[in-house]
Amino acid sequence: MQSFQSVLVIEDLPEVAEWLNAQSIAVLPQAQVTVVNAIAPAREALAQKVYDLALVDLGLPDGSGACLIPEIKKSNANALCVVTTIFDDAQHLLESLKAGADGYLLKDDPEPAFRTHLEGILHGRPPLSASIAKALLQQFQPQPNNEQVALTTRETEMLTLTAKGYQVKQAAELLGISYHTAASYLKEVYRKLQINSR
């Protein structure tokens, strides 16, 4: 296996960034982990240091993290770029792969599965979870053409609970998911509906 001495985590939600930092350390205890919360500070970090592994969120406040993948690869051709996201649709997956992603992990996977998938990528075995395989298959099937904003089932559940007055932590408990996963779903709902507060 390639030696991974330096890891760059690009994630804007503090709780999720902390969780990804912990997963990185658990899988690569010898590596130094740098955490940034947007594209601009990621570029600053890349200008100062070469990274062997990058965990890249797609939904950053200043754009899509996918734009950073070619930049990371330019500074270190052997670097692995793994997208860590809540998006399990073909569009985000294919855009990430076209940008040069070496892996695509869902943040709502259970922690042991997430670590196993990450270790698989580091050993050259990219995981293909059931939801990602389904998204790929759907890419090759005819899609209805409508312009309505489409929320996933989880996003709809989060929106419903938020509308009923539940806080993110309470909604996460009711849905049986982690706080950071619930927060990511809510962030995506806000983006899709073009709103920025409860």
Side-chain angles (χ1 to χ4, degrees):
M1 180 174 83
Q2 174 185 338
S3 176
F4 296 94
Q5 300 299 320
S6 55
V7 179
L8 180 61
V9 173
I10 309 165
E11 171 61 59
D12 63 319
L13 295 173
E15 299 85 4
V16 181
E18 187 178 316
W19 184 79
L20 289 170
N21 182 28
Q23 302 318 302
S24 301
I25 292 169
V27 173
L28 298 166
Q30 80 286 356
Q32 288 185 320
V33 181
T34 302
V35 179
V36 295
N37 64 1
I39 292 171
R43 286 186 172 136
E44 290 173 20
L46 290 167
Q48 297 171 12
K49 186 174 181 178
V50 174
Y51 292 91
D52 305 312
L53 172 65
L55 302 182
V56 184
D57 183 28
L58 294 178
L60 297 169
D62 52 352
S64 171
C67 73
L68 291 168
I69 295 172
E71 296 175 37
I72 295 164
K73 296 282 191 176
K74 185 176 180 183
S75 66
N76 179 1
N78 295 319
L80 291 184
C81 294
V82 179
V83 170
T84 55
T85 184
I86 61 165
F87 300 119
D88 62 356
D89 61 282
Q91 179 182 347
H92 286 96
L93 171 63
L94 293 176
E95 285 174 5
S96 299
L97 295 176
K98 285 178 187 174
D102 299 289
Y104 195 92
L105 298 179
L106 298 177
K107 292 186 276 193
D108 60 354
D109 278 346
E111 191 169 292
F114 184 93
R115 285 186 191 171
T116 299
H117 291 313
L118 180 56
E119 287 172 344
I121 292 170
L122 299 181
H123 286 90
R125 298 183 309 269
L128 191 62
S129 68
S131 59
I132 296 300
K134 182 179 174 185
L136 275 175
L137 289 173
Q138 288 176 344
Q139 179 67 21
F140 299 102
Q141 297 175 357
Q143 299 293 316
N145 188 13
N146 62 31
E147 305 214 1
Q148 192 173 14
V149 175
L151 297 179
T152 66
T153 303
R154 275 291 194 219
E155 290 167 353
T156 302
E157 291 170 344
M158 274 303 298
L159 180 60
T160 302
L161 291 172
T162 301
K164 291 180 178 178
Y166 288 96
Q167 297 296 319
V168 175
K169 183 178 179 185
Q170 296 167 316
E173 289 170 2
L174 287 170
L175 295 174
I177 58 178
S178 69
Y179 172 86
H180 71 265
T181 300
S184 293
Y185 281 125
L186 193 57
K187 180 176 105 174
E188 184 57 17
V189 169
Y190 287 177
R191 186 194 67 76
K192 285 182 177 180
L193 300 180
Q194 299 181 351
I195 56 176
N196 53 26
S197 72
R198 291 172 65 88

